Amino acid sequence: MAPKSRAAARQQGQLQPVAFDYSGLEIGMRCQAESDGVYYAAEVVQVSTSRNRARAPVKVHFPGYESTWDTWIGGEQLRSKALKRSAPANRAPAEAAAVAREPRPKIEMKPNTVVIVSTSAAYLKGHQTGLWLEELASPYYKFKEAGFEVVIASARGGPVPIDAASMKGDDFTAAAKKFMLDGDAFGDLSHSIRLNAIDFKSDTIKAVFVCGGHGACADFIKSPVLKKAIETVYGAGNAVAAVCHGLICLAQCKKPDGSPLVKDLIVTGFSESEEDAVKLADKVPFAIESKLKELGGLYEKGEDWSCTVKVAGNLITGQNPQSSEGCTDAVIKATKATEAARIAGA
């Protein structure tokens, strides 16, 4: 039997009309707007009072791009059908190419900021996954308690998928439960900042903390933006930390001399025995333990599911979710020591 059309289904009461909430929008408001899953800086230039989607677009302007018609969805985000670089016909090709290469706007950071980086991937080779919540929740609160500003960033920006398994049983830790009931914290996770909207050269950024979850194996492994961010922060002498599957991003990173970032450094990360225990060894692109050894890292591990943290200068690594608190404590200690040394040498 052929499926019913949407019009026929609506007439029979099977579909409810969709109402769109335009509350809170004002002309001139700066926001992030999404196009094909990627978030860009934008400015609202027109707002309709109608609630009919077909007749009520919200018009925004993307700096450096053509204006596009967007729809305000749920009062939370703007979605764009198309996004093209501005290249007026009267411009010479070289000038138009220069405009296309203009850097995108960067978000202003507050002083003394730690950037916590999360995956944006909800699937890994068909397996439902995402962020392992404990690995973000504990660091989030610990950094704030230590007096740092905290920014949650992700590859795409916007809502971050959470691995459901991290909200079950003992894996659903006290910090994770607190986070899910904290409107401000969950709001930060739901409106994460796109990685390439952050200027990692800024002296306001004191550390980068990369979370895990198997989603990281999908969008951290070949991420030029994350690679550059880590190399920039590490090269500036600031702390770079990664825990559990977050370490997969380090495989692509280099020291200033061009050698692998982990070479000759004591590191840890999700072990092969732990990967076998969760029965996802066939899903990950490579075993983190083996890759770190292959790159010349001095890999060390503790017992499965034990808190194991390794500090090698300004590179700090944690083996598994149980290591997220210890890894955060090490970052706080290292960052405060670095700042104290800079002040003393000033």
Side-chain angles (χ1 to χ4, degrees):
M1 182 176 178
K4 297 178 180 177
S5 69
R6 291 183 63 84
R10 187 175 291 109
Q11 288 178 355
Q12 295 181 17
Q14 295 177 356
L15 286 179
Q16 297 298 318
V18 178
F20 292 89
D21 181 8
Y22 294 84
S23 61
L25 279 180
E26 297 177 359
I27 293 175
M29 177 183 290
R30 293 184 179 181
C31 58
Q32 288 191 77
E34 179 191 357
S35 179
D36 295 328
V38 179
Y39 285 74
Y40 300 81
E43 180 180 357
V44 178
V45 294
Q46 182 176 319
V47 181
S48 171
T49 57
S50 171
R51 296 175 68 83
N52 184 300
R53 181 177 186 179
R55 300 176 183 174
V58 173
K59 196 171 187 180
V60 300
H61 173 70
F62 297 91
Y65 295 81
E66 297 174 356
S67 294
T68 56
W69 288 91
D70 290 60
T71 303
W72 186 248
I73 299 180
E76 294 179 354
Q77 64 188 37
L78 293 161
R79 298 183 69 88
S80 171
K81 292 182 179 179
L83 189 61
K84 298 179 180 179
R85 282 282 189 183
S86 300
N90 60 349
R91 281 185 177 158
E95 185 181 357
V99 170
R101 291 194 299 270
E102 288 178 359
R104 292 170 181 161
K106 302 295 184 182
I107 292 174
E108 185 176 349
M109 292 288 179
K110 295 180 180 179
N112 205 36
T113 292
V114 174
V115 179
I116 299 180
V117 181
S118 169
T119 179
S120 290
Y123 291 89
L124 176 64
K125 295 182 180 178
H127 172 72
Q128 270 192 358
T129 183
L131 163 72
W132 196 266
L133 185 56
E134 158 61 24
E135 295 170 25
L136 184 143
S138 284
Y140 180 89
Y141 287 117
K142 276 188 163 285
F143 284 130
K144 282 185 170 290
E145 289 166 4
F148 292 95
E149 296 289 338
V150 177
V151 166
I152 297 177
S154 64
R156 293 183 178 180
V160 169
I162 300 173
D163 192 316
S166 69
M167 296 191 289
K168 296 177 181 178
D170 292 339
D171 292 315
F172 197 19
T173 63
K177 292 174 182 176
K178 177 181 177 182
F179 192 95
M180 294 300 291
L181 295 174
D182 183 337
D184 291 335
F186 195 76
D188 289 342
L189 188 68
S190 301
H191 301 86
S192 69
I193 305 300
R194 192 181 73 253
L195 270 174
N196 63 2
I198 297 173
D199 180 8
F200 285 94
K201 295 179 181 178
S202 171
D203 59 8
T204 61
I205 296 177
K206 303 305 179 185
V208 169
F209 189 101
V210 185
C211 310
H214 277 86
C217 299
D219 60 359
F220 283 3
I221 187 171
K222 293 180 180 179
S223 171
V225 176
L226 183 54
K227 176 181 185 291
K228 185 177 180 181
I230 290 172
E231 292 174 349
T232 298
V233 174
Y234 183 84
N238 292 321
V240 169
V243 66
C244 200
H245 286 91
L247 271 97
I248 205 161
C249 70
L250 299 183
Q252 62 183 336
C253 298
K254 307 288 186 183
K255 291 189 179 84
D257 65 5
S259 62
L261 181 61
V262 300
K263 185 178 180 181
D264 299 326
L265 299 180
I266 298 175
V267 292
T268 189
F270 206 61
S271 67
E272 291 182 11
S273 56
E274 288 170 322
E275 199 71 78
D276 289 339
V278 298
K279 295 180 171 54
L280 289 173
D282 61 329
K283 299 291 186 182
V284 297
F286 51 75
I288 291 173
E289 177 180 339
S290 296
K291 178 61 73 171
L292 292 173
K293 292 176 181 176
E294 176 189 322
L295 294 170
L298 307 177
Y299 180 86
E300 296 180 0
K301 64 180 179 180
E303 294 294 325
D304 287 0
W305 320 118
S306 67
C307 176
T308 303
V309 176
K310 300 300 174 181
V311 178
N314 55 325
L315 179 64
I316 301 164
T317 52
Q319 181 174 321
N320 46 37
Q322 289 74 16
S323 306
S324 58
E325 286 194 16
C327 197
T328 307
D329 289 337
V331 173
I332 293 170
K333 181 179 179 180
T335 300
K336 290 187 174 181
T338 299
E339 288 302 298
R342 286 173 179 166
I343 292 172

